[in-house]
Amino acid sequence: LSARHILCEKQGKINEAYKKLQDGWLSNGDKVPPAEFAKLAAEYSECPSGKKGGDLGWFPRGKMAGPFQDVAFNTPVGVTSAPFKSTHGYHIILSEGRKN
């Protein structure tokens, strides 16, 4: 699976990022363009991947922590997840690609 994500320690901060995604695209039923998601990741994400626009590259099932993996693998390609909590904090995932 290939994905981008935004990671914040505080729920308030992830909700702020999610509101920008909603206002820009999600509330209209639009998909978030990866380049725009990347800009928000660079601004909000506290993960080192934020510098790369939240890009996690390709990863196999089993590599990521439980809740993160569950959401990542259940989010269709091109779709942005709702904010959720893992052991690392709060995430939003944008699924970018899948290899069968």
Side-chain angles (χ1 to χ4, degrees), residues 15-86:
N15 287 344
E16 201 179 305
Y18 192 65
K19 186 171 185 331
K20 290 199 170 184
L21 295 171
Q22 283 180 306
D23 292 349
W25 302 275
L26 300 175
S27 57
N28 308 325
D30 294 331
K31 289 186 170 169
V32 179
E36 296 298 327
F37 189 95
K39 282 183 202 165
L40 275 178
E43 185 181 342
Y44 283 95
S45 186
E46 293 157 15
C47 177
S49 69
K51 292 187 186 64
K52 299 182 298 192
D55 191 1
L56 295 170
W58 291 93
F59 54 89
R61 200 179 274 278
K63 183 167 184 290
M64 301 290 185
F68 187 92
Q69 171 173 285
D70 294 343
V71 176
F73 280 89
N74 287 320
T75 302
V77 170
V79 173
T80 303
S81 77
F84 66 96
K85 190 174 194 306
S86 83

